[in-house]
Amino acid sequence: MFFKQFVVEGMGCLSYLIGCPQRKVACVVDPKRDVQDYIATARKNGMRIAHVFETHIHADHVSGNRELQSRTGAEICFMEGTPAKFEHREVKEGDVMDLGSVRLQFIKTPGHTPHLMSILVTDRNRSDEPWFVLTGDCLFVGDVGRPDLAGDELLEEQVRNLYQSLHEKLGKLPDSMEVFPAHGEGSLCGKGMSSKPSSTIGFEKKTNPVLSLGWEEFHREFTSGFPERPKSFSHIIATNVEGPPLLERCPVARDLTPRQVKMEMERGAVVLDARDSAAFGGVHIPGSINIGLANQTANWVGMVIDPQAEIILVVYDEKDYEAMCAQLHRIGYDNVIGYLAGGIASWQEMGFPLGRLRQLSVEELREGLERGGYDYIFDVRTSAEYSVGHIKGIEHLPLTRLLEEPPKIPKGKEVIVICGSGYRGNIAASFLQGIGLHRVYSLAGGMKAWVAAGYPVAKD
Amino acid sequence: MFFKQFVVEGMGCLSYLIGCPQRKVACVVDPKRDVQDYIATARKNGMRIAHVFETHIHADHVSGNRELQSRTGAEICFMEGTPAKFEHREVKEGDVMDLGSVRLQFIKTPGHTPHLMSILVTDRNRSDEPWFVLTGDCLFVGDVGRPDLAGDELLEEQVRNLYQSLHEKLGKLPDSMEVFPAHGEGSLCGKGMSSKPSSTIGFEKKTNPVLSLGWEEFHREFTSGFPERPKSFSHIIATNVEGPPLLERCPVARDLTPRQVKMEMERGAVVLDARDSAAFGGVHIPGSINIGLANQTANWVGMVIDPQAEIILVVYDEKDYEAMCAQLHRIGYDNVIGYLAGGIASWQEMGFPLGRLRQLSVEELREGLERGGYDYIFDVRTSAEYSVGHIKGIEHLPLTRLLEEPPKIPKGKEVIVICGSGYRGNIAASFLQGIGLHRVYSLAGGMKAWVAAGYPVAKD
Amino acid sequence: MFFKQFVVEGMGCLSYLIGCPQRKVACVVDPKRDVQDYIATARKNGMRIAHVFETHIHADHVSGNRELQSRTGAEICFMEGTPAKFEHREVKEGDVMDLGSVRLQFIKTPGHTPHLMSILVTDRNRSDEPWFVLTGDCLFVGDVGRPDLAGDELLEEQVRNLYQSLHEKLGKLPDSMEVFPAHGEGSLCGKGMSSKPSSTIGFEKKTNPVLSLGWEEFHREFTSGFPERPKSFSHIIATNVEGPPLLERCPVARDLTPRQVKMEMERGAVVLDARDSAAFGGVHIPGSINIGLANQTANWVGMVIDPQAEIILVVYDEKDYEAMCAQLHRIGYDNVIGYLAGGIASWQEMGFPLGRLRQLSVEELREGLERGGYDYIFDVRTSAEYSVGHIKGIEHLPLTRLLEEPPKIPKGKEVIVICGSGYRGNIAASFLQGIGLHRVYSLAGGMKAWVAAGYPVAKD
Amino acid sequence: MFFKQFVVEGMGCLSYLIGCPQRKVACVVDPKRDVQDYIATARKNGMRIAHVFETHIHADHVSGNRELQSRTGAEICFMEGTPAKFEHREVKEGDVMDLGSVRLQFIKTPGHTPHLMSILVTDRNRSDEPWFVLTGDCLFVGDVGRPDLAGDELLEEQVRNLYQSLHEKLGKLPDSMEVFPAHGEGSLCGKGMSSKPSSTIGFEKKTNPVLSLGWEEFHREFTSGFPERPKSFSHIIATNVEGPPLLERCPVARDLTPRQVKMEMERGAVVLDARDSAAFGGVHIPGSINIGLANQTANWVGMVIDPQAEIILVVYDEKDYEAMCAQLHRIGYDNVIGYLAGGIASWQEMGFPLGRLRQLSVEELREGLERGGYDYIFDVRTSAEYSVGHIKGIEHLPLTRLLEEPPKIPKGKEVIVICGSGYRGNIAASFLQGIGLHRVYSLAGGMKAWVAAGYPVAKD
């Protein structure tokens, strides 16, 4: 089981990413609105966020439920009856849901809000018994959720519910069970919470001052003397009930799974692989074009890719994604629809077909030429570069011409592409692979390597 | 004169920020689409970008003209006749425009496009003679702008224009004049350009191979054998003619001048000063509220500021702006309309009225108390904090209550506010200043400082 | 009480910052060597780090004790008898130390090492009873600390101590007490630890398989069949005993040209290629070892590379260089002499020989198997992974064994290496290339890809 | 030819990376001490830095020559006779050196120092004639290098040399030749330099006021009335002559508690408060000097603080700490012993005495003047600024003079300090506070604010 608590310091909001790395599936409980760290952590551990669970409608922070949904497609779940006005799934008291080896059980623990739920979590790899409980805003470390936020009319009922939830529901759980609440120190949903963000049922029973109150004291305590209620709470509740608006960003770095990339390619999207030539040579998505992230990238994209095309990027990391988008924006290629989440490794792990592009060393090329050569060899540099020095007998076909009028080559023939340093060679070779040629190779290091190795150069 | 060349490596796009720091005004010539660095550089040097000059409609990169306009309000200018379909100002051959000590003169130098202009720039602090010339895509370092992009029909005319622009216009300028073109190495708008991005008229006359061609050779050279024209060029030209779409981002870090902040305040915007208490104490915008960027910021904003309010931030830098926005988003305060560009210094330099909030030392407070005290002293901490220990005889008025029911205090009375560490004291004191009290002070370091100094503490 | 757990992902090192913000004092338990985050967190919460507690001399990571001391003046504390050769304070069984409201009690729980201690922690603001226990390397979540690292002579005694510590000491604590160990998933100080980094005494008693063993079974289990012991462990123990050297601006990011790398390799330097498997597959320096920059990197380096070796890195960029150095420092591999400036491209452009490592797709492997198979195929995963499911008929050879006793394979034979996702496959394959085998291939995506593609899996 | 100018804003240090990408070789001329950007730029363009040329021994910034050498192995070169006491190569008048297609010619142009050289640079791909000249500290854009720094004994000779270098050497170069000096605006090696960092021989001949002086006027001008010479210059010259020490992880960001800061101040450490004027005005450590982190910081530190002093910084955050250290390293102030951990808030919370510096608004100043004025008012700007416009009747006392010969003012008198924008006003005012004056105020926004508010300005 993967388990990670996220703490928003100051506001004291606690949220949880829980999942099963074997099954590559995860959920987030009570997400904050800035959701990037959930996504990054899930991705780093090879999981997809498939569910968002809200223990209740929050009053103190706008939820990230819809933000997560728009980025990952996750389903949003509330306890039955929760008045959320946007699409969601309801779970019921006692429902059980399995995410791989992780088992979630939902129990109603109202009091702070009328439909608040706690979630029992079992790691079935370790035991069939629940390991810990997410208590939402019912039981905190050192306090309990305030029952007054729902308003005066409901107060009496909420107080009764809260008492029952604490004593009849959570109080019946084993002493050894860990407790992970939705708030810690700093939160205005309770008071006197500890800054230590976890505890156990047993320890809270012994030390939490609220749990030792009898019903009458409890009732007195919670029907008088409410703590402060910020102006923002009504606004936040309304926002969370209606569905929080998305924090739009352009470009949204939309994560695409390998399967989604495949589907988009079938619909016509172009896959632009911005990794370097060595990496593209090792493994790539068949049909992708290699234009490495470098100084001249935008110029080459402008030559190879149609301005109207929908583009998917293969990059090393998000920083490179943004650098590529900046370059594409400069030439008005704004149709980037996302990138392959998890990089090329995620493609490999799906067992999908792999492309490779052999990066020939100059030594191998020389030996090959001596052995009698290849079916086709093209030097794709500019005329100026070619005239300064080239390998004797090699045909000159500038990259721009090759792209516009691809040479007609029977499938199965062996093709070598040579450029200045290997960069354009990979553009050309990936383009030739894309039109169906399979035995294409690129000269690693290009003419720079040939010259550096001291091999002979012809001039016009 | 302020002068800075910006280089987009690889694409070889060169653009310029030129301005007069004394008069705080600047212009950008041929901006790229990612405009943040122009804005940051102008701001750092105390200038506002008031104009964008385009030497022509670019074919190789989408312009940042509208992006700059939306961020700074700059006016966009083209040479007369340029077919830009969005709002802009036209300048004419021979027009002169002064930005403080910087003088710009516009000269038509068509050939690459039919309405291309060059700009002569004079630093009137140094001389009345032009110092250098921005040559757009007419004269490059080592090459000239290609005349074929406008299409076959115009080619003959463009070639003639280009020859004339080079020999009759630019060629007549003094040899000692520096040349700053719109493109350098890597650009596809010419070929064989140097990677050194400046030259002089004299050096180009001597060494630029195109300039030594007679008309007939020149004509032959440019009516045959065009270099490559990427797929993207038609798309880019169309985009630049229609007006480049904005790269939307939320939040747009909108820079507000002190004057704009003033106007927005008059319209009801709330100024939230997120600097620390010492800085707010030193100088602030009168009427602003101080809630320092810290762990608990969002909670306090939720107490003090109305969820519907339009908010302007005063922060140290853009990083803090983004951190504040993230906190505000968490509680659904999405109405941030911008921030004071240049920070509090820019407000000071306008000669606008200044607020200050005296940060009292504990020593001063003790002496003041011994001398007979102040008109009002409030300890604004929570009941729990107050009961643990307070200064004897000081009234307890929790911050939340103070904000909801501000005490009625006659103007002119002296008010001291005390909290735990000085943070909430500043919230309270800035709030009291905002409702018209002038002699308000905050205890620096709060009760922490009082205790640390070893002064006596009373308990309930 | 302030409490924060720090997780070094991959190595599974857990450390703790615990303190009393009221009294502004804190301690760190079992610090890692990169200590900036402890200091920053303490400072942000207004605390000074005054003590460092080591539960024992670590074998898997170099301690940050002296680094913290030099930055903050903290005192370093060990359990009485610990053979640390640098200045420190000794605590004794039963000693109690108060940091403001935080109470620490030290209890001897030997077994993993002869002087290991656990620490009971009480938040006196909440209760006078201990809240939780830091169990060091005695009790883990789902496992216990291995007793064999101290060597064969001590084994019998260590095993007896461990049993007693678990049952007589920790086992006597209340079921409701939370457990925070010094290691979690990824650590080599135990096996089968959960990735959830906390538990309770009660839950471990119920579910931890080791705790249910009687003495005889326990004895049998721990006196036979030890897990792997990386080369690095003796080096790390020695470093921690002597006192870890301070990280004095170590290393300077020295740029090495391809020629310098070649020379250093001839002098014995090891080239560690930290790029991903696809990139290494495409092109690499012949003789280099591929251990991709990932969570577990440090553990694998500790297995493959000699602690005394001079190391040269091949990385994508300077950020990765620094991340790798941080990982290497954690295990005391401080001999990084530089990195290949300009990345693998600079090697290619010199025309030097190129290594490649074919990344086989699962489809190709299946076809190959159907066509009659390969000379050698090794599944290099652990026994646990292998037993869950493998390709029928494939030989099991755990990576650690392969590295220690490389199989004798005649040159020219075709070897396929299979692991979980391709990562360890590349370690093994690059190692086999390094000892002279040329026809080595790695299964891209490993068994994950095989399973995802729906190919048949055999179980034991 | 690759050519890039590097600008250290504020100090106005200009340096150059020049190289031949085809031959992969480059040199740096007059490197600053933080050399990473040279290395990164060279590497990105495929070049190795093989030479460092120093036009002369610098007085205003510590050179990065040895830092570059240790990182890249580059050879350090000076003009024959330069008294550098560490290993270097000497070049001679007229020597020619080729780096691939780049040709360098060295010419002696003494006057600022006795062995200063200029460097003619030719791009042999474009022409055999030199394209531009690096003029070191001989000819600046709008000024020339001051001849007085070498001391009184050499002055007569230096002035003669300078005149000859300007007229006989540089003045004989073609008008069309570009000029790239070693300093621009902000430098103290000249005065009135333009912020535009390049020019041409022809334009300077026409407009540079010094070049139009005949020998006698020239002689008079340069043998009287020297500009300010910061305390730091002798230290920097000595450092550059001996060979600048390497920046060995210097400084460690040592956190100092308020108590430690106090103790170090008692032992003589100088507290340099690098926050902005508003924050310093609000609260500061009594006795600290306010030199805000900005462009010109290093220059001002060099004026105010002794090069041998141990320095403690007060900054907003660690980023600012590092930026300040970088600036201090540039002028060889390596004795930074740490910074106030937790910022000014931590000082406040100790209950220690507080300094404040009232930031007067222009409105308050005007009212004060109308009410009869203050005991002392000083305008601390330069003569040039003062003469352009000042407040009628206000005494002119340039900051440099004020620092060297502080005015004798009886304690208890009220002092107002006025500068251009408030920055230098705070330097002066904090200095005056430091020598025991208590009623010192600084004009917020300085003359900029006064002018912006539309108040009357007198001219000489």
Side-chain angles (χ1 to χ4, degrees), chain C residues 112-130:
Chain C
H112 174 68
T113 69
H115 304 90
L116 191 141
M117 69 175 169
S118 294
I119 306 176
L120 283 165
V121 186
T122 304
D123 178 356
R124 294 190 299 148
N125 286 337
R126 293 209 63 193
S127 164
D128 283 341
E129 279 185 56

Side-chain angles (χ1 to χ4, degrees), chain D residues 151-432:
Chain D
D152 286 353
E153 288 163 48
L154 287 177
L155 183 60
E156 200 52 40
E157 183 186 334
Q158 293 265 73
V159 172
R160 208 175 326 114
N161 282 343
L162 181 59
Y163 190 81
Q164 278 196 330
S165 295
L166 292 169
H167 290 278
E168 300 304 314
K169 293 280 181 75
L170 301 180
K172 301 289 195 219
L173 297 171
D175 276 6
S176 63
M177 184 173 281
E178 281 174 286
V179 165
F180 293 100
H183 284 111
E185 192 187 49
S187 167
L188 301 170
C189 292
K191 54 182 197 286
M193 292 180 218
S194 173
S195 84
K196 177 161 175 294
S198 69
S199 188
T200 62
I201 293 290
F203 191 74
E204 290 308 306
K205 275 176 156 176
K206 254 186 291 193
T207 64
N208 190 318
V210 180
L211 295 194
S212 60
L213 300 176
W215 163 245
E216 273 159 42
E217 291 163 301
F218 184 92
H219 183 264
R220 201 176 315 122
E221 171 85 15
F222 284 104
T223 49
S224 62
F226 306 123
E228 58 215 7
R229 181 194 163 99
K231 295 186 189 189
S232 53
F233 274 21
S234 305
H235 171 66
I236 295 173
I237 292 170
T239 304
N240 281 330
V241 165
E242 295 299 329
L246 297 182
L247 294 167
E248 315 252 347
R249 202 204 196 188
C250 155
V252 174
R254 196 150 74 88
D255 300 357
L256 300 172
T257 62
R259 215 173 284 286
Q260 287 173 308
V261 170
K262 231 176 160 180
M263 276 170 39
E264 297 289 352
M265 285 179 85
E266 282 157 16
R267 287 196 195 122
V270 172
V271 175
L272 173 50
D273 191 322
R275 296 175 303 149
D276 64 22
S277 56
F280 185 84
V283 175
H284 59 258
I285 298 179
S288 60
I289 294 290
N290 180 219
I291 307 179
L293 174 54
N295 277 347
Q296 297 266 1
T297 307
N299 281 344
W300 291 112
V301 169
M303 302 248 178
V304 182
I305 295 179
D306 191 84
Q308 313 304 337
E310 293 197 315
I311 298 174
I312 294 169
L313 296 175
V314 176
V315 286
Y316 291 120
D317 53 27
E318 201 156 333
K319 181 176 64 64
D320 284 358
Y321 176 75
E322 281 169 18
M324 274 301 289
C325 286
Q327 291 221 23
L328 295 173
H329 289 155
R330 284 187 187 138
I331 55 167
Y333 280 57
D334 293 355
N335 277 346
V336 181
I337 60 176
Y339 69 104
L340 176 62
I344 196 70
S346 72
W347 183 271
Q348 292 171 202
E349 293 177 8
M350 289 306 288
F352 287 168
L354 305 182
R356 284 184 298 264
L357 174 57
R358 192 178 183 86
Q359 306 291 307
L360 224 54
S361 76
V362 290
E363 208 179 349
E364 290 168 320
L365 174 62
R366 207 206 38 182
E367 287 168 13
L369 291 171
E370 283 170 3
R371 268 200 322 270
Y374 303 87
D375 298 329
Y376 295 85
I377 314 185
F378 301 117
D379 184 326
V380 301
R381 295 176 299 157
T382 62
S383 304
E385 291 171 288
Y386 183 81
S387 67
V388 168
H390 53 265
I391 301 174
K392 201 176 164 182
I394 303 283
E395 185 181 350
H396 182 220
L397 178 60
L399 176 51
T400 47
R401 189 133 52 82
L402 182 147
L403 295 169
E404 272 165 36
E405 309 165 37
K408 308 231 174 311
I409 299 170
K411 303 212 169 178
K413 294 295 183 183
E414 217 172 24
V415 186
I416 310 289
V417 189
I418 297 172
C419 72
S421 66
Y423 182 87
R424 285 169 293 174
N426 262 38
I427 299 178
S430 63
F431 175 80
L432 293 175

Side-chain angles (χ1 to χ4, degrees), chain C residues 321-342:
Chain C
Y321 177 75
E322 280 169 18
M324 276 299 291
C325 285
Q327 292 221 24
L328 295 174
H329 289 157
R330 285 189 185 134
I331 56 167
Y333 280 55
D334 294 355
N335 277 345
V336 180
I337 59 175
Y339 68 105
L340 176 61

Side-chain angles (χ1 to χ4, degrees), chain B residues 119-368:
Chain B
I119 307 176
L120 282 165
V121 187
T122 305
D123 179 354
R124 293 191 298 148
N125 286 339
R126 293 208 63 194
S127 163
D128 283 341
E129 279 185 56
W131 188 349
F132 56 90
V133 60
L134 307 172
T135 54
D137 280 21
C138 187
L139 175 61
F140 295 134
V141 178
D143 194 11
V144 305
R146 59 197 280 190
D148 60 291
L149 289 177
D152 285 354
E153 288 164 46
L154 287 176
L155 183 59
E156 200 52 42
E157 185 187 333
Q158 294 265 73
V159 172
R160 209 176 325 114
N161 283 343
L162 182 59
Y163 191 79
Q164 278 197 329
S165 296
L166 292 169
H167 290 277
E168 301 303 314
K169 293 281 181 75
L170 301 179
K172 301 289 195 220
L173 296 171
D175 275 6
S176 63
M177 183 172 282
E178 281 174 287
V179 166
F180 293 101
H183 283 111
E185 191 187 48
S187 165
L188 301 170
C189 292
K191 54 183 197 285
M193 293 180 221
S194 173
S195 84
K196 176 160 175 294
S198 69
S199 187
T200 62
I201 293 289
F203 191 75
E204 290 307 307
K205 275 177 155 176
K206 256 187 287 192
T207 63
N208 189 317
V210 180
L211 295 192
S212 61
L213 300 177
W215 163 247
E216 271 158 45
E217 290 162 303
F218 183 92
H219 183 265
R220 203 177 313 122
E221 170 84 15
F222 284 104
T223 48
S224 60
F226 306 121
E228 58 213 8
R229 182 193 164 98
K231 293 185 191 189
S232 54
F233 273 20
S234 305
H235 170 64
I236 294 173
I237 292 170
T239 303
N240 281 330
V241 165
E242 295 298 329
L246 297 181
L247 292 168
E248 282 164 60
R249 290 206 133 223
C250 169
V252 172
R254 197 150 74 86
D255 301 356
L256 300 172
T257 62
R259 215 173 284 284
Q260 287 173 310
V261 170
K262 231 176 160 179
M263 275 171 39
E264 297 289 354
M265 287 179 85
E266 281 157 17
R267 288 194 195 123
V270 172
V271 176
L272 174 50
D273 191 321
R275 296 175 303 149
D276 65 21
S277 57
F280 185 84
V283 175
H284 60 258
I285 298 179
S288 61
I289 295 290
N290 180 220
I291 307 179
L293 174 54
N295 277 347
Q296 297 266 0
T297 308
N299 281 345
W300 291 112
V301 170
M303 301 248 178
V304 182
I305 294 178
D306 192 84
Q308 312 306 336
E310 293 196 315
I311 297 173
I312 293 167
L313 296 174
V314 177
V315 287
Y316 291 120
D317 53 28
E318 200 156 334
K319 180 176 65 64
D320 284 359
Y321 177 76
E322 280 170 19
M324 276 299 290
C325 285
Q327 291 221 23
L328 295 174
H329 288 157
R330 283 188 186 138
I331 56 167
Y333 280 56
D334 293 355
N335 277 345
V336 181
I337 59 175
Y339 70 103
L340 176 62
I344 197 69
S346 72
W347 183 271
Q348 291 172 204
E349 293 177 8
M350 289 303 290
F352 287 169
L354 305 181
R356 284 184 297 264
L357 174 57
R358 191 178 183 88
Q359 307 290 308
L360 225 54
S361 75
V362 291
E363 208 180 349
E364 290 168 320
L365 175 62
R366 207 206 40 184
E367 287 168 14

Side-chain angles (χ1 to χ4, degrees), chain A residues 124-388:
Chain A
R124 294 191 298 150
N125 286 339
R126 293 209 62 194
S127 165
D128 284 341
E129 279 185 57
W131 188 349
F132 56 92
V133 59
L134 307 174
T135 55
D137 280 19
C138 187
L139 175 61
F140 294 135
V141 177
D143 195 11
V144 305
R146 58 196 283 190
D148 61 291
L149 289 178
D152 286 355
E153 287 165 47
L154 288 176
L155 182 60
E156 202 49 45
E157 185 186 333
Q158 293 265 74
V159 172
R160 207 177 326 112
N161 283 344
L162 182 59
Y163 191 80
Q164 279 198 331
S165 295
L166 291 168
H167 291 278
E168 300 304 314
K169 292 282 181 72
L170 300 180
K172 301 289 194 217
L173 297 172
D175 276 4
S176 63
M177 183 173 284
E178 280 173 288
V179 166
F180 293 100
H183 284 112
E185 192 187 47
S187 167
L188 301 170
C189 292
K191 53 182 197 286
M193 294 179 218
S194 172
S195 84
K196 177 162 175 294
S198 70
S199 187
T200 63
I201 293 290
F203 190 75
E204 289 308 307
K205 275 175 153 174
K206 255 186 290 192
T207 63
N208 189 317
V210 180
L211 294 193
S212 61
L213 300 177
W215 163 245
E216 272 159 44
E217 291 163 301
F218 183 92
H219 183 264
R220 201 177 315 122
E221 170 84 14
F222 283 104
T223 49
S224 60
F226 306 122
E228 58 213 9
R229 181 194 164 96
K231 294 186 191 187
S232 54
F233 273 21
S234 305
H235 170 65
I236 294 172
I237 293 170
T239 303
N240 280 331
V241 166
E242 295 299 328
L246 298 182
L247 293 168
E248 283 165 58
R249 290 203 135 227
C250 166
V252 173
R254 197 150 75 86
D255 301 356
L256 300 172
T257 62
R259 215 173 283 286
Q260 287 173 309
V261 170
K262 231 176 161 179
M263 275 170 40
E264 298 289 353
M265 287 180 83
E266 282 157 15
R267 289 195 194 122
V270 172
V271 176
L272 173 51
D273 191 321
R275 297 176 301 148
D276 65 21
S277 57
F280 185 85
V283 175
H284 60 258
I285 298 179
S288 60
I289 294 289
N290 180 220
I291 307 179
L293 174 54
N295 277 346
Q296 298 266 1
T297 308
N299 281 344
W300 292 111
V301 169
M303 301 248 179
V304 182
I305 294 178
D306 192 83
Q308 313 305 336
E310 294 197 315
I311 298 172
I312 294 168
L313 296 175
V314 176
V315 286
Y316 291 120
D317 53 28
E318 202 156 332
K319 181 175 62 64
D320 284 359
Y321 177 75
E322 280 171 19
M324 275 300 289
C325 285
Q327 292 221 22
L328 295 173
H329 288 157
R330 285 190 185 136
I331 56 166
Y333 279 57
D334 293 355
N335 278 345
V336 180
I337 60 176
Y339 69 105
L340 176 62
I344 197 70
S346 72
W347 182 271
Q348 291 171 204
E349 292 177 8
M350 290 304 290
F352 288 168
L354 306 181
R356 283 184 299 261
L357 174 57
R358 191 178 183 88
Q359 307 290 307
L360 224 55
S361 75
V362 290
E363 207 179 348
E364 291 168 320
L365 174 62
R366 207 204 40 184
E367 287 168 13
L369 290 171
E370 284 170 2
R371 268 199 323 269
Y374 303 88
D375 297 328
Y376 295 83
I377 314 186
F378 301 115
D379 184 325
V380 300
R381 294 176 299 157
T382 62
S383 302
E385 290 171 286
Y386 183 82
S387 68
V388 168

